[in-house]
Amino acid sequence: MVLVILGLAGQLFAQDKLVTGKVTNSQDDSPLPGVTVSVKGSTQGTTTDSQGSFKISVPSGKSLIFSSVGFTQKTVQVGSQTTINVKLDENTSDLEEVVVTGLASSIKRSNAANAISVVKAEQLTGTTKPPYLDNAMQGKVVGANIVANSGAPGGGISVRLRGISSINLSTEPLYVIDGVIIDNSQFNTGAGSRAFSGATTTSNVSSQDQATNRVADINPADIESMEILKGPAAAAMYGTRANAGVIVITTKRGKAGETKINLSQDIGVAQAQRFLGSSNWNDKKIDTFFEGYGIGGYTAEDYKRLLKEANGRTWDYEKLFFGETPIITNTRLNISGGNDKTRFFISGGLNSEPGIMQRTGYGRRSIRLNLDQKFNDRISLGVSSNFINSNSSRSFTGNDNNGVAIGYNIAYIPNFIDLTQRPDGTYPVWGYTGQNPFEIRDKTDNLESTNRTLQSANLNIDIIRKENSLLKLNVVGGLDYFTNENEVYVPDYVAYQQQRANPGASRVSKSRALYSYLQSFLTYSWKVGKVDLQTQAGAVRNIRDFDLTWVQGEGLLPNQRNPLTGAVRVFDQFFQKTQEVAVDFNQEFNWNDKLIGRVGYRMDRSSLNGDNTKWYGFPRASLAINLTKFDFLNTDKINLLKPRFAFGQTGGVPAFGDIYSTLDATIIGGQLGSVTPTTVGNGGLAPERAQEIEAGVDVGLFGNRLNLELTFYNKTIFDFLNPYTLSPGSGVTSIKAFAVGDFENVGTEISLTGKVIEKKDLSLVTTLAFWNNKTTITRLTIPETFAGFGFGAFGRNRLRQGASPTAWYGTPNVNGQPTQYADAQPKYQMSLNTVLKWKNFDFSMLWHTSQGNHNSNLNQELRDEGGNTLDWMEDSDGDGIVNPLDGRLFGINASNNTSVFVQDASYIRLREIAVYYTVPKSFLQGAFGKVIKGAKLGISAQNPITITNYFGYDPESSNFGNRALGFGVDLTPYPSVKRTFFHLSLDF
Amino acid sequence: MNKYIKLATLGIGISLMSSCSLLEVDKILEPNNPTVESIESNATANQISQLGIGLQSTARNGIAAFYETSGSIGREIIRSASTDNRYFSEILGTVDIDPAGIFYGWYGSYNATRRRAELFIRSADNTNSITAAQKAGVRGFAKTIQAYAMLNCLNMLQSSGIRTSFTDLSAPGDLLKPGKFSDYAGGLAYCKTLIDEGNTALGQAGASFAFPMTAGWAGFNTPANFARFNRAIAARIAMYQKDWAGMNTALNQSFLNLSGPLSTGPVFTFSTTAGDLTNPLFQNRNTDGAPWVVQVRVVPEAEAGDTRIAAKMSRRNNPRASGNIAASEFEVFMYPSNTSPISIIRNEELVLMYAEAQLQTNNLVNAENALNIIRTSAGLRAYAGAKTAAALTDELLKQRRYSLFFEGHRWFDMRRYNRLGDLPKDLANHRVFAEMPRPQSEVDWDVRNP
């Protein structure tokens, strides 16, 4: 008793005052437990209990800060009050967003020195429901070029931030979910190999498998926000894996308070965006076609006879194959809530996305549990757990040499030939390839199945808490484990297999990947005068372990799928192991929100480098000057004027295996021998190094009703790696990877947001964005060379000093050098996002345009070869020769060159449009009592309108998948779809 | 500080300290294949065996391109390719040969063989798992293979020469500084050095090799009898050097046998086993893709009854024209199946070399007798022409033309005797090239690495 009195006396001596109160949610007045209540300017604090109540002693003259995850922070001057009741608003304002600045630190966005794009859940999936994460980002990230490789179910999208970041290594950004790096590989399935579509002549790996990339597994609906660190200046703390930028994803977490249950259901329809059409035939056209060209397997007489037999009937093969309008369903159930100690978020999602071609489709099932526990006011632990099962059936599209790929072959089929299945179940063989595409659709499989688990844990401990300083320990660990199974199967009785030496082919691939990640950081926050300082140091370790096995059988026993029943069996087993560690130091300072800066240095080691013990250092520095915080610029008109500068370096580790020179196996006379290789590894490989200088200004005017973000950057990649062709006299053809030069990306990003109308029942917010990028090779130590994938004279990329590496090159050759054509990268992109809210209605719309991007387009060429383009018999220049024979067909006309095939693929696209209606609470209460607390209805569409002159299913296309070079080769992909949805969301 | 924090801090502190290796990255060994490093030092006896087999396997590479290109310019055959007319226009002289073009398949292969042989020698020298005699055996075998491969390479390029020195082959950076080119004489001297060093080493190699000799080397599979193959190649080199005395000496130490079967000699073997090669010179009869047809003068200029025509050529069902070039009635048919072996060098050539050495050293009778061995075996009567050196030289070249048809000799023979002008041209705008130009990539390399 004496002690208590003494204690009280002590407090009274310091003139502290006891304040009590209750914190509630402003929306529904429910109590908010777990809210941090702290005294401004000190580290004193407490949290509210399960009833939202708190009790704290406050020195006189101080203010209290109320903060809680998901709510806008509020500061209250205590004055003479002893009871303070506070209502917190759920967080929607952009300005209070935080963005990452270090591996264990973040900063208020208004203080950030980098142009970091943030995409919140509302923007990502709030309008319509794109099936894949990268898909959902399209048009929403200033400075990004996000392009779908094809419309095939299961995704396959490439994301390039601020131009390309490598020539030969991956140019896809690093994905970090809840602090843990995840895998975004593409796995080859063999679908493009010789036994299947024959797109490539190799029997093993194929560059033309039309594979998906694994970030498609992530359910976009689980995401709370995405921060896009577009270049080294912002991403430097991720070191050697961050050359292509980093996408930091935070998933949804529970909020303390009443348990909320949300059930939402989308029902939609998918259909092909467009068809290219197929022209009708007559005898005159047949004569012209066969005089000028013709295709194998048929003569003009055959065509005339078949045309006569058809007796005026035609078959529209595009519609017969790609004309399905399947029903898409998405079902989600979220349960979240918690108390002052524990918060939880549980979600389950079912996505079903059948394709616009029969027997194709995609499905995903995912469950997630995010749990946060406060052990006491100093220790907290957050755990995220996610399991995903996804399945796709993609059939065969893209390039082809066997009569297998659907789009490729229907480009050649004239509409008077009937290839539909006969009543007796047989498929008539099409003479040109000896195969019937309907048989491929109905009888073959190209299946993929993934089971994936993502786990992460995040531990925070306040080790030392003093009046003006805080020492924190943050440990993040996690793993990404998945198995990816592919099965490609063509039965023995399929026509083209019957012509092969060993009919019937099956390939079963199993990939297992384990990625584990651990980081540990100490953060010390302290104060010197008016300057807040934060010092951070820590270490990172990650391990990747990958195992790919496949078995292929050809010459299968009748009706057997197991490749081991094949007469010819091929196996492969491939292991890949990588270890990386890093140490990182970060120092931030903030002088009264006026000057905000940071410097940092990260050092990396990787087993992918030639020297596994060598540290590679990556510095960073940034400065933001918030002029509006200074007295000389203190007007009501200008709310924010913040010039900012940032610099950073990152690395790109060499590809696995490039440091090794491996012995090849050979056989002679039944004996196994070893031979030294003709392509050698480079034991001295170092990472590619990217350096970025970024400068910009953020402006907020008229009470922040008009916001402008303007950024310029120069991102240079030094010592990029390329195979090095050697003197053949040395007995070695090339070094697998060698540092051969530098290239730069220079660009501008502008984003202008206007809160045009801000009234109680009516608001209109419009964001207009513009961005461009130009890539130039600034140094090249090897002779000019073609690089990346492509189809020869239809357009290839080339390394030439002073030119863009993504420019197309081709015939005619002038002085032995191919001619340069336009670029695959867009000249600029723009987007316009509008959100209109009127009473209970929300209307939103996103337009996006990409201008000046050029594809190597073979769609028209193939249809011209087949005689099926709509303008086939037209003669634009009036010289008596029909268009295709007048220079559009490859090799037909001497004047014909690559310029015919490098085509402008600019487009304007309505990416998303939606209108939602929130059912009034009064109505719900009347109708359902207290059972249903909220309800929202809506309709939306994804990609409903595309305006383009481009000849193809979609100006976004890449036959070779995600590559730095060789993207934009468009060869009869699976047509892209547009989706229309009806949405219903209920809160219980 | 409460107990949770103390415990947690303590725990994390201990785990960090107990694992300083947290900041270490293991040296990850290539998990999928053995690396070159694994054989560069301390190779096991088994690895040495496998390298020996490997070199025997890859020594086969390049032979088809070598025979095809030299046979085309030497007017023995025409590759009548449907899809690429360069095989019967450019190579026959309608335009200059494109030094970056399609006719250099042999160049990379033979240089790769040389490098592989060199690394084999190094591997053997840097291990204690085999005896000194076995190391000498590796050196003797590998140098002999190098000499065989580089002589073929050099003859194609003649005055353009070959690179006769290496920088350090195992350091990639040094691969950027390839050795210099030697001229033809220098190249021949280089080949002679290789073959003689090989011979010396074989003399120190004991009774057997440290690696298995595959079936094609039957009769040449010990250091002692492999040395007789070495001397056969040495005789070839001496022939190109016009060192007739040296040629005689080498022949005497080779497997030359004036009374034995002409077919004796090592061969490259082939099989359809997965991972093995099939005979790259085998062709089915009467194909229309890209057959090797016989140049139109070859058959008419043979003596009546020469059995070598029927043994090596086959009459096509449909004579095959190549562009504007008159149709060939015959096509090459030297190998009955795709697993038939290809001769590397055989007694028949040694007898012809013996004849030439005797002729050049004015032993005309010996020369005539040797030529008659060849004639008899080809079903022809004994030589009845003038017994002068000039006439016998004509006869020698004729017998070489048919005995060594499409085996990489005719072009060089005519060049050695300054008779390229006598080679038949199919069309007026054709030329007979004296040599292949230096590959463009090598020219570029020397510009960059002067």
Side-chain angles (χ1 to χ4, degrees), chain A residues 376 378 541 574-575 579 581 605 612 660-663 666-667 674 676 724 727 729 732, chain B residues 2 5 22-26 28 30 32 34 36 50 57 115-116 163 276 442 445 448:
Chain A
N376 55 35
R378 291 192 168 198
R541 181 175 180 83
F574 177 74
F575 297 110
Q579 287 183 13
V581 298
R605 272 176 169 173
N612 63 308
Y660 304 119
S661 300
T662 56
L663 293 174
T666 179
I667 300 279
S674 286
T676 51
Y724 199 126
S727 151
V732 183
Chain B
N2 70 37
I5 299 176
L22 263 183
L23 293 180
E24 297 292 321
V25 167
D26 296 336
I28 298 204
E30 155 70 290
N32 299 300
V36 172
Q50 291 188 343
S57 176
R115 176 183 157 85
R116 285 171 168 148
R163 293 192 193 273
D276 200 351
E442 296 286 35
W445 260 98
R448 295 195 40 236

Short mmCIF file of all heavy atoms in Angstrom, two decimals, chain A residues 376 378 541 574-575 579 581 605 612 660-663 666-667 674 676 724 727 729 732, chain B residues 2 5 22-26 28 30 32 34 36 50 57 115-116 163 276 442 445 448:
data_model
loop_
_atom_site.label_atom_id
_atom_site.label_comp_id
_atom_site.label_asym_id
_atom_site.label_seq_id
_atom_site.Cartn_x
_atom_site.Cartn_y
_atom_site.Cartn_z
N ASN A 376 2.45 -9.70 -25.97
CA ASN A 376 2.28 -8.64 -24.99
C ASN A 376 2.50 -7.34 -25.75
O ASN A 376 2.52 -7.35 -26.98
CB ASN A 376 3.25 -8.82 -23.80
CG ASN A 376 4.68 -8.91 -24.28
OD1 ASN A 376 5.05 -8.25 -25.25
ND2 ASN A 376 5.48 -9.73 -23.61
N ARG A 378 5.01 -5.88 -26.40
CA ARG A 378 6.31 -5.79 -27.07
C ARG A 378 6.53 -6.85 -28.14
O ARG A 378 7.38 -6.67 -29.00
CB ARG A 378 7.42 -5.93 -26.04
CG ARG A 378 7.49 -4.73 -25.12
CD ARG A 378 8.74 -4.78 -24.35
NE ARG A 378 8.98 -3.53 -23.67
CZ ARG A 378 10.16 -3.17 -23.19
NH1 ARG A 378 11.19 -3.97 -23.34
NH2 ARG A 378 10.33 -2.03 -22.59
N ARG A 541 18.94 -14.59 -45.96
CA ARG A 541 19.46 -15.83 -46.52
C ARG A 541 18.34 -16.52 -47.27
O ARG A 541 17.22 -16.63 -46.77
CB ARG A 541 19.95 -16.74 -45.39
CG ARG A 541 20.53 -18.06 -45.89
CD ARG A 541 21.11 -18.85 -44.73
NE ARG A 541 21.66 -20.10 -45.17
CZ ARG A 541 22.88 -20.26 -45.68
NH1 ARG A 541 23.67 -19.22 -45.80
NH2 ARG A 541 23.30 -21.43 -46.08
N PHE A 574 16.76 -33.14 -63.93
CA PHE A 574 17.55 -31.91 -63.84
C PHE A 574 17.43 -31.34 -62.42
O PHE A 574 16.34 -31.20 -61.90
CB PHE A 574 17.01 -30.90 -64.87
CG PHE A 574 17.70 -29.57 -64.82
CD1 PHE A 574 18.98 -29.44 -65.31
CD2 PHE A 574 17.07 -28.46 -64.27
CE1 PHE A 574 19.62 -28.21 -65.28
CE2 PHE A 574 17.70 -27.24 -64.23
CZ PHE A 574 18.99 -27.12 -64.74
N PHE A 575 18.57 -31.06 -61.83
CA PHE A 575 18.59 -30.47 -60.49
C PHE A 575 19.13 -29.06 -60.57
O PHE A 575 20.00 -28.76 -61.39
CB PHE A 575 19.53 -31.24 -59.56
CG PHE A 575 19.13 -32.66 -59.33
CD1 PHE A 575 19.88 -33.70 -59.85
CD2 PHE A 575 18.02 -32.97 -58.57
CE1 PHE A 575 19.53 -35.02 -59.63
CE2 PHE A 575 17.67 -34.29 -58.34
CZ PHE A 575 18.42 -35.32 -58.87
N GLN A 579 22.07 -20.91 -53.51
CA GLN A 579 22.10 -20.31 -52.16
C GLN A 579 22.50 -18.86 -52.31
O GLN A 579 23.41 -18.54 -53.06
CB GLN A 579 23.15 -20.99 -51.28
CG GLN A 579 22.78 -22.37 -50.83
CD GLN A 579 23.83 -22.95 -49.90
OE1 GLN A 579 24.70 -22.25 -49.43
NE2 GLN A 579 23.73 -24.23 -49.67
N VAL A 581 23.11 -15.21 -49.81
CA VAL A 581 23.02 -14.50 -48.53
C VAL A 581 23.32 -13.03 -48.80
O VAL A 581 23.95 -12.68 -49.79
CB VAL A 581 24.02 -15.01 -47.46
CG1 VAL A 581 23.74 -16.45 -47.12
CG2 VAL A 581 25.44 -14.81 -47.90
N ARG A 605 26.08 -12.35 -51.71
CA ARG A 605 26.85 -13.48 -52.18
C ARG A 605 25.88 -14.46 -52.81
O ARG A 605 24.78 -14.65 -52.28
CB ARG A 605 27.45 -14.24 -50.99
CG ARG A 605 28.77 -13.77 -50.51
CD ARG A 605 29.10 -14.59 -49.28
NE ARG A 605 30.49 -14.36 -48.92
CZ ARG A 605 31.05 -14.83 -47.80
NH1 ARG A 605 30.33 -15.56 -46.96
NH2 ARG A 605 32.30 -14.58 -47.53
N ASN A 612 31.82 -17.95 -55.19
CA ASN A 612 30.73 -18.00 -54.21
C ASN A 612 31.07 -17.30 -52.91
O ASN A 612 30.20 -17.10 -52.08
CB ASN A 612 30.34 -19.46 -53.93
CG ASN A 612 31.48 -20.24 -53.31
OD1 ASN A 612 32.58 -20.24 -53.85
ND2 ASN A 612 31.23 -20.87 -52.19
N TYR A 660 29.46 -23.31 -65.12
CA TYR A 660 30.02 -24.66 -65.23
C TYR A 660 30.40 -25.00 -66.66
O TYR A 660 29.70 -24.67 -67.61
CB TYR A 660 29.00 -25.72 -64.77
CG TYR A 660 28.48 -25.51 -63.37
CD1 TYR A 660 27.14 -25.32 -63.14
CD2 TYR A 660 29.35 -25.52 -62.28
CE1 TYR A 660 26.65 -25.14 -61.86
CE2 TYR A 660 28.87 -25.34 -60.99
CZ TYR A 660 27.52 -25.14 -60.79
OH TYR A 660 27.04 -24.97 -59.53
N SER A 661 31.54 -25.69 -66.81
CA SER A 661 31.88 -26.35 -68.07
C SER A 661 31.68 -27.83 -67.81
O SER A 661 32.37 -28.42 -66.99
CB SER A 661 33.34 -26.10 -68.44
OG SER A 661 33.58 -24.73 -68.58
N THR A 662 30.71 -28.41 -68.49
CA THR A 662 30.38 -29.79 -68.14
C THR A 662 30.86 -30.75 -69.22
O THR A 662 30.90 -30.42 -70.40
CB THR A 662 28.86 -29.96 -67.98
OG1 THR A 662 28.24 -29.53 -69.17
CG2 THR A 662 28.34 -29.14 -66.82
N LEU A 663 31.22 -31.93 -68.77
CA LEU A 663 31.62 -32.98 -69.69
C LEU A 663 30.36 -33.56 -70.33
O LEU A 663 29.38 -33.82 -69.65
CB LEU A 663 32.36 -34.08 -68.93
CG LEU A 663 33.72 -33.70 -68.33
CD1 LEU A 663 34.26 -34.84 -67.51
CD2 LEU A 663 34.69 -33.35 -69.45
N THR A 666 29.14 -39.40 -74.47
CA THR A 666 29.06 -39.88 -75.85
C THR A 666 29.17 -41.40 -75.81
O THR A 666 29.67 -41.98 -74.85
CB THR A 666 30.16 -39.27 -76.72
OG1 THR A 666 30.05 -39.80 -78.05
CG2 THR A 666 31.55 -39.61 -76.18
N ILE A 667 28.67 -42.01 -76.87
CA ILE A 667 28.70 -43.48 -76.94
C ILE A 667 29.43 -43.86 -78.23
O ILE A 667 29.20 -43.25 -79.28
CB ILE A 667 27.27 -44.06 -76.99
CG1 ILE A 667 26.46 -43.67 -75.76
CG2 ILE A 667 27.30 -45.57 -77.19
CD1 ILE A 667 26.71 -44.50 -74.54
N SER A 674 33.47 -39.74 -72.17
CA SER A 674 33.27 -38.35 -71.77
C SER A 674 34.03 -37.46 -72.73
O SER A 674 35.16 -37.77 -73.09
CB SER A 674 33.86 -38.10 -70.38
OG SER A 674 33.05 -38.67 -69.41
N THR A 676 35.08 -33.27 -73.53
CA THR A 676 35.05 -31.89 -73.05
C THR A 676 34.16 -31.08 -73.98
O THR A 676 34.02 -31.39 -75.15
CB THR A 676 36.47 -31.32 -72.99
OG1 THR A 676 37.10 -31.55 -74.25
CG2 THR A 676 37.27 -32.00 -71.91
N TYR A 724 29.23 -15.62 -75.70
CA TYR A 724 30.35 -14.99 -76.38
C TYR A 724 30.88 -15.98 -77.42
O TYR A 724 31.38 -17.04 -77.08
CB TYR A 724 31.44 -14.68 -75.36
CG TYR A 724 32.45 -13.64 -75.78
CD1 TYR A 724 32.70 -12.53 -74.99
CD2 TYR A 724 33.16 -13.78 -76.97
CE1 TYR A 724 33.62 -11.57 -75.38
CE2 TYR A 724 34.07 -12.82 -77.36
CZ TYR A 724 34.30 -11.72 -76.56
OH TYR A 724 35.21 -10.78 -76.94
N SER A 727 36.70 -17.74 -81.25
CA SER A 727 37.43 -18.19 -82.43
C SER A 727 37.23 -19.69 -82.55
O SER A 727 37.59 -20.43 -81.64
CB SER A 727 38.91 -17.87 -82.26
OG SER A 727 39.67 -18.81 -82.99
N GLY A 729 38.82 -21.74 -84.09
CA GLY A 729 40.11 -22.40 -84.07
C GLY A 729 40.54 -22.81 -82.67
O GLY A 729 41.42 -23.65 -82.49
N VAL A 732 36.42 -24.21 -79.28
CA VAL A 732 35.26 -23.91 -78.46
C VAL A 732 34.40 -22.94 -79.24
O VAL A 732 34.92 -21.98 -79.81
CB VAL A 732 35.68 -23.27 -77.12
CG1 VAL A 732 34.47 -23.02 -76.25
CG2 VAL A 732 36.65 -24.16 -76.39
N ASN B 2 10.90 -7.72 -20.14
CA ASN B 2 10.24 -8.88 -19.57
C ASN B 2 10.88 -10.19 -20.04
O ASN B 2 11.72 -10.22 -20.92
CB ASN B 2 8.73 -8.84 -19.85
CG ASN B 2 8.42 -9.06 -21.31
OD1 ASN B 2 9.08 -9.85 -21.96
ND2 ASN B 2 7.43 -8.35 -21.81
N ILE B 5 11.03 -11.27 -23.82
CA ILE B 5 12.02 -10.61 -24.66
C ILE B 5 13.39 -11.19 -24.39
O ILE B 5 14.14 -11.48 -25.32
CB ILE B 5 12.01 -9.10 -24.39
CG1 ILE B 5 10.63 -8.55 -24.73
CG2 ILE B 5 13.07 -8.39 -25.21
CD1 ILE B 5 10.47 -7.10 -24.42
N LEU B 22 25.70 -18.97 -41.48
CA LEU B 22 24.52 -18.33 -42.06
C LEU B 22 24.90 -17.35 -43.16
O LEU B 22 24.14 -17.10 -44.08
CB LEU B 22 23.75 -17.58 -40.97
CG LEU B 22 22.57 -18.31 -40.34
CD1 LEU B 22 21.89 -17.41 -39.33
CD2 LEU B 22 21.57 -18.75 -41.41
N LEU B 23 26.08 -16.79 -43.04
CA LEU B 23 26.51 -15.83 -44.06
C LEU B 23 27.44 -16.46 -45.10
O LEU B 23 28.00 -15.78 -45.92
CB LEU B 23 27.21 -14.63 -43.40
CG LEU B 23 26.28 -13.76 -42.56
CD1 LEU B 23 27.03 -12.60 -41.96
CD2 LEU B 23 25.12 -13.23 -43.40
N GLU B 24 27.57 -17.77 -45.02
CA GLU B 24 28.40 -18.45 -46.02
C GLU B 24 27.51 -18.99 -47.12
O GLU B 24 26.37 -19.37 -46.89
CB GLU B 24 29.13 -19.64 -45.37
CG GLU B 24 30.10 -19.26 -44.27
CD GLU B 24 31.30 -18.51 -44.82
OE1 GLU B 24 31.77 -18.88 -45.90
OE2 GLU B 24 31.74 -17.53 -44.16
N VAL B 25 28.05 -19.02 -48.32
CA VAL B 25 27.36 -19.67 -49.42
C VAL B 25 28.20 -20.85 -49.85
O VAL B 25 29.39 -20.70 -50.09
CB VAL B 25 27.15 -18.70 -50.59
CG1 VAL B 25 26.73 -19.44 -51.83
CG2 VAL B 25 26.14 -17.65 -50.23
N ASP B 26 27.60 -22.02 -49.88
CA ASP B 26 28.37 -23.20 -50.29
C ASP B 26 28.77 -23.09 -51.74
O ASP B 26 28.07 -22.49 -52.55
CB ASP B 26 27.51 -24.47 -50.14
CG ASP B 26 27.15 -24.72 -48.69
OD1 ASP B 26 27.90 -24.24 -47.82
OD2 ASP B 26 26.12 -25.38 -48.44
N ILE B 28 28.45 -24.63 -54.85
CA ILE B 28 27.53 -25.66 -55.31
C ILE B 28 28.13 -26.33 -56.54
O ILE B 28 28.41 -25.68 -57.55
CB ILE B 28 26.15 -25.06 -55.61
CG1 ILE B 28 25.63 -24.50 -54.28
CG2 ILE B 28 25.23 -26.10 -56.22
CD1 ILE B 28 24.17 -24.37 -54.15
N GLU B 30 28.15 -28.58 -59.81
CA GLU B 30 27.17 -28.84 -60.86
C GLU B 30 26.48 -30.17 -60.54
O GLU B 30 27.13 -31.23 -60.51
CB GLU B 30 27.89 -28.85 -62.20
CG GLU B 30 27.26 -29.65 -63.32
CD GLU B 30 25.98 -29.06 -63.87
OE1 GLU B 30 24.98 -29.10 -63.14
OE2 GLU B 30 25.98 -28.59 -65.02
N ASN B 32 24.20 -31.85 -62.18
CA ASN B 32 23.63 -32.65 -63.28
C ASN B 32 24.66 -33.38 -64.12
O ASN B 32 24.35 -34.40 -64.71
CB ASN B 32 22.78 -31.75 -64.18
CG ASN B 32 21.64 -31.14 -63.42
OD1 ASN B 32 20.80 -31.85 -62.89
ND2 ASN B 32 21.62 -29.82 -63.31
N PRO B 34 29.20 -34.19 -64.71
CA PRO B 34 30.55 -33.92 -64.23
C PRO B 34 31.10 -32.67 -64.91
O PRO B 34 30.71 -32.35 -66.03
CB PRO B 34 31.33 -35.17 -64.68
CG PRO B 34 30.52 -35.77 -65.77
CD PRO B 34 29.10 -35.39 -65.52
N VAL B 36 34.33 -30.11 -66.20
CA VAL B 36 35.66 -30.23 -66.78
C VAL B 36 36.71 -30.23 -65.66
O VAL B 36 37.70 -30.95 -65.72
CB VAL B 36 35.89 -29.08 -67.77
CG1 VAL B 36 37.34 -29.06 -68.24
CG2 VAL B 36 34.96 -29.22 -68.96
N GLN B 50 37.24 -43.08 -69.79
CA GLN B 50 36.10 -42.47 -70.47
C GLN B 50 36.53 -41.35 -71.40
O GLN B 50 35.93 -41.14 -72.46
CB GLN B 50 35.10 -41.96 -69.44
CG GLN B 50 34.43 -43.14 -68.74
CD GLN B 50 33.30 -42.72 -67.85
OE1 GLN B 50 33.17 -41.56 -67.50
NE2 GLN B 50 32.48 -43.68 -67.48
N SER B 57 35.32 -41.32 -79.95
CA SER B 57 33.99 -41.05 -80.48
C SER B 57 33.96 -39.73 -81.27
O SER B 57 33.48 -39.67 -82.39
CB SER B 57 32.98 -41.00 -79.33
OG SER B 57 31.72 -40.65 -79.79
N ARG B 115 41.35 -29.72 -79.39
CA ARG B 115 41.25 -29.24 -78.01
C ARG B 115 40.94 -30.38 -77.05
O ARG B 115 41.50 -30.47 -75.96
CB ARG B 115 40.16 -28.17 -77.92
CG ARG B 115 39.89 -27.66 -76.53
CD ARG B 115 38.74 -26.65 -76.55
NE ARG B 115 38.12 -26.57 -75.25
CZ ARG B 115 38.55 -25.79 -74.27
NH1 ARG B 115 39.57 -25.00 -74.46
NH2 ARG B 115 37.93 -25.79 -73.10
N ARG B 116 40.04 -31.26 -77.47
CA ARG B 116 39.67 -32.38 -76.60
C ARG B 116 40.88 -33.27 -76.36
O ARG B 116 41.10 -33.74 -75.24
CB ARG B 116 38.54 -33.18 -77.23
CG ARG B 116 37.22 -32.44 -77.11
CD ARG B 116 36.12 -33.09 -77.91
NE ARG B 116 34.85 -32.50 -77.52
CZ ARG B 116 33.81 -32.34 -78.34
NH1 ARG B 116 33.90 -32.73 -79.60
NH2 ARG B 116 32.71 -31.81 -77.90
N ARG B 163 45.56 -22.21 -86.95
CA ARG B 163 46.14 -21.71 -85.69
C ARG B 163 46.99 -22.83 -85.11
O ARG B 163 46.48 -23.93 -84.87
CB ARG B 163 45.05 -21.32 -84.71
CG ARG B 163 44.24 -20.11 -85.15
CD ARG B 163 43.37 -19.60 -84.00
NE ARG B 163 42.38 -18.65 -84.47
CZ ARG B 163 42.59 -17.34 -84.60
NH1 ARG B 163 43.77 -16.84 -84.31
NH2 ARG B 163 41.64 -16.54 -85.02
N ASP B 276 25.04 -42.85 -79.74
CA ASP B 276 26.10 -43.10 -80.73
C ASP B 276 25.73 -42.39 -82.04
O ASP B 276 24.63 -41.89 -82.21
CB ASP B 276 26.25 -44.61 -80.94
CG ASP B 276 27.61 -44.98 -81.55
OD1 ASP B 276 28.35 -44.06 -81.96
OD2 ASP B 276 27.92 -46.19 -81.61
N GLU B 442 37.20 -16.17 -87.96
CA GLU B 442 38.63 -16.10 -87.61
C GLU B 442 39.24 -14.79 -88.06
O GLU B 442 40.06 -14.19 -87.36
CB GLU B 442 39.39 -17.27 -88.23
CG GLU B 442 38.95 -18.63 -87.73
CD GLU B 442 39.42 -18.93 -86.32
OE1 GLU B 442 39.47 -17.99 -85.49
OE2 GLU B 442 39.71 -20.10 -86.03
N TRP B 445 38.22 -12.31 -85.64
CA TRP B 445 38.94 -12.46 -84.39
C TRP B 445 40.33 -11.85 -84.46
O TRP B 445 40.79 -11.22 -83.52
CB TRP B 445 39.04 -13.94 -84.00
CG TRP B 445 38.00 -14.25 -82.99
CD1 TRP B 445 36.79 -14.81 -83.20
CD2 TRP B 445 38.06 -13.93 -81.60
NE1 TRP B 445 36.08 -14.87 -82.04
CE2 TRP B 445 36.84 -14.34 -81.04
CE3 TRP B 445 39.01 -13.34 -80.78
CZ2 TRP B 445 36.55 -14.18 -79.69
CZ3 TRP B 445 38.72 -13.19 -79.43
CH2 TRP B 445 37.51 -13.60 -78.91
N ARG B 448 40.22 -8.19 -84.14
CA ARG B 448 40.00 -7.73 -82.76
C ARG B 448 41.15 -8.08 -81.84
O ARG B 448 41.29 -7.50 -80.77
CB ARG B 448 38.71 -8.36 -82.21
CG ARG B 448 37.49 -7.88 -82.97
CD ARG B 448 36.22 -8.19 -82.24
NE ARG B 448 36.40 -7.96 -80.82
CZ ARG B 448 36.17 -8.88 -79.90
NH1 ARG B 448 35.80 -10.07 -80.27
NH2 ARG B 448 36.33 -8.59 -78.64
#
